Amino acid sequence: MEKKPHLAKRDLPPREASAVLLVLLVLLLNALLYLYLSDLHGSSGRAETDPSLCPFGYFKLGSVKNCSPWLSCEAINKEVRKLKCVGEGAVKRVFLSEWKENKVVLSQLTNIELKEDFLHGLKMLKALQSRHVVRLLGYCEKQFTILTEYHPLGSLRGLNETLHIPKYKGMNTWHRRLMLAMDYVSVIRYLHSSPLGTLVMCDSNDLDKVLSQYLLTSDFHILVNDLDALPLVNKSSGRLVKCGHRELQGEFVAPEQRWPYGEDVPFDDDLMPPYDEKTDIWKIPDVSNFFLGHVEGSDIVRLHLFDIHAACKKKDPAKRPSAQEILDTYRKVLTLLIREVAMPGTREML
Ligand code: ADP
Ligand code: MG
Ligand code: MG
């Protein structure tokens, strides 16, 4: 009996076969990239809430399943043991502490004159609990103390030192660094469209100051920690803000934050015009440049971010992009460059 030819035996010529293979590979890579990026940073439509978060007024730590209520004054006084000071800013002194075998942070007001800032920070911390904000574990208003989750890598000021320790050297790549910049812009995007409205990160008059307000988590994400100076903008009702009452100078702050009437007219806070959240956008290129650092590939990333960063530095605040637009551009650049690295030259071939 004659055998029928096997269907699968219809071989493609080698050139066609490799082209098909290439297209399949690119499709697979795109699908993986999409999953990877949307998992890491959330797509724009996704809720900002963290599935590991608890209802308002509750928290959970580590691998514990249940949510506990925020610790009260009594619980803090009875159950929290201060270990050592790990940070200090103008408003708070920050102590690494212990609570039921967990490392936690107890922040205490440094100076009673700053109590309004402290209480504003606490109010914001309560209202903005999300995947972008440090976790609140408890507070005691009458003793001016706040209890939060401890992050051993500390603030972003120590990022370069952290990336040089052997354990984290593998993270010192352009792509991890670009992902940190994306995380930072995601936090700004969250503040600009928060449940309370558009909030401006005012504690940001120089790069060091900005970096000290954010924490680096052990899995290399960024959380905002210091919410003491976060005024509300409402453009439709004409509500604008001023970051403090003193004169601001230098290139780091946005042009509209500087005294507009020249050196001959002495600074007067009453004559200083207010502004909006676009001051945060002006500062993004400088903060992102710090994230990108000087590793192999970071200059190529800088080149790709040139146009969006130039737009952030427009003198007219209204012409600057939104944090969402910046994030979209960063994401496109990350996707493009990962694809280039994985399959160099594929763009020309397709
Ligand atoms: P201030 O309001 O006085 O500026 P911050 O809240 O910014 O105080 O905290 C000061 C510093 O303390 C931070 O820059 C950081 O180095 C450290 N710190 C604060 N909270 C934590 C935390 N949860 N984990 C680790 N370090 C922290
Ligand atoms: Mg601070
Ligand atoms: Mg502060």
Side-chain angles (χ1 to χ4, degrees):
M1 209 168 76
E2 212 181 5
K3 267 192 181 169
K4 279 184 187 166
H6 202 283
L7 278 175
K9 277 258 178 269
R10 265 189 61 237
D11 286 342
L12 285 168
R15 264 182 71 93
E16 268 179 50
S18 56
V20 168
L21 205 67
L22 185 69
V23 171
L24 283 175
L25 247 139
V26 170
L27 287 175
L28 182 72
L29 198 71
N30 277 348
L32 285 173
L33 260 176
Y34 176 79
L35 287 173
Y36 176 63
L37 291 175
S38 58
D39 185 46
L40 275 168
H41 295 283
S43 61
S44 43
R46 210 168 77 174
E48 297 284 349
T49 48
D50 184 334
S52 71
L53 279 175
C54 296
F56 183 83
Y58 290 79
F59 72 94
K60 69 183 168 195
L61 258 190
S63 54
V64 179
K65 277 216 175 75
N66 299 331
C67 295
S68 320
W70 286 334
L71 271 70
S72 61
C73 295
E74 294 70 37
I76 291 175
N77 290 334
K78 234 172 51 201
E79 298 166 15
V80 176
R81 195 163 63 94
K82 265 204 248 179
L83 296 175
K84 64 166 181 176
C85 183
V86 288
E88 185 166 346
V91 179
K92 291 173 239 124
R93 195 165 292 130
V94 177
F95 296 91
L96 167 64
S97 309
E98 209 172 37
W99 174 71
K100 294 193 174 168
E101 290 173 5
N102 296 294
K103 283 186 173 155
V104 296
V105 150
L106 193 77
S107 301
Q108 295 183 315
L109 178 63
T110 50
N111 176 350
I112 197 72
E113 281 173 29
L114 298 172
K115 71 172 191 211
E116 295 309 327
D117 299 75
F118 182 94
L119 293 175
H120 179 76
L122 172 58
K123 186 174 134 193
M124 294 288 136
L125 215 47
K126 286 190 218 168
L128 300 177
Q129 286 293 294
S130 67
R131 66 188 181 92
H132 301 290
V133 177
V134 72
R135 197 165 303 173
L136 181 65
L137 311 179
Y139 60 90
C140 179
E141 283 193 33
K142 60 178 193 262
Q143 288 170 7
F144 300 105
T145 51
I146 297 176
L147 200 66
T148 50
E149 189 172 9
Y150 175 60
H151 293 281
L153 297 183
S155 91
L156 285 178
R157 276 165 92 166
L159 176 69
N160 284 320
E161 287 71 33
T162 301
L163 287 171
H164 280 108
I165 52 179
K167 190 175 168 194
Y168 296 109
K169 269 219 163 93
M171 294 290 187
N172 199 10
T173 61
W174 66 265
H175 115 263
R176 277 284 163 184
R177 283 173 166 272
L178 176 56
M179 275 163 54
L180 284 178
M182 289 171 66
D183 240 20
Y184 172 72
V185 178
S186 308
V187 177
I188 299 294
R189 177 193 59 173
Y190 174 70
L191 296 179
H192 288 184
S193 52
S194 88
L196 301 176
T198 301
L199 300 165
V200 186
M201 181 37 121
C202 267
D203 231 341
S204 59
N205 294 341
D206 57 67
L207 179 62
D208 231 33
K209 190 91 201 157
V210 174
L211 300 175
S212 75
Q213 318 300 10
Y214 298 85
L215 298 171
L216 183 62
T217 66
S218 300
D219 61 350
F220 268 70
H221 281 283
I222 290 174
L223 299 176
V224 61
N225 168 64
D226 184 348
L227 305 174
D228 301 344
L230 216 63
L232 187 69
V233 161
N234 189 340
K235 272 184 252 186
S236 56
S237 72
R239 185 185 164 130
L240 297 172
V241 302
K242 280 194 261 184
C243 291
H245 305 287
R246 270 176 275 174
E247 182 174 5
L248 300 176
Q249 288 172 326
E251 283 300 308
F252 190 82
V253 297
E256 65 273 21
Q257 293 187 280
R258 294 179 223 137
W259 178 241
Y261 304 118
E263 276 174 23
D264 298 338
V265 186
F267 177 80
D268 179 349
D269 187 37
D270 294 335
L271 299 179
M272 178 70 205
Y275 34 83
D276 64 18
E277 80 283 2
K278 290 296 179 84
T279 55
D280 287 335
I281 302 295
W282 169 273
K283 294 161 189 168
I284 284 178
D286 299 272
V287 183
S288 287
N289 263 325
F290 167 81
F291 285 127
L292 292 177
H294 302 282
V295 294
E296 199 186 329
S298 40
D299 280 338
I300 295 173
V301 181
R302 271 191 191 91
L303 214 63
H304 282 274
L305 298 181
F306 187 85
D307 289 344
I308 192 76
H309 283 175
C312 295
K313 292 289 186 185
K314 290 216 166 118
K315 197 167 183 305
D316 179 358
K319 295 214 170 91
R320 293 175 206 151
S322 66
Q324 181 67 63
E325 286 166 326
I326 301 170
L327 188 61
D328 292 343
T329 305
Y330 280 20
R331 194 174 281 150
K332 273 188 205 140
V333 169
L334 178 64
T335 309
L336 177 94
L337 290 177
I338 290 181
R339 198 179 295 163
E340 281 277 301
V341 170
M343 307 190 85
T346 46
R347 268 193 311 160
E348 291 75 34
M349 288 173 79
L350 289 175

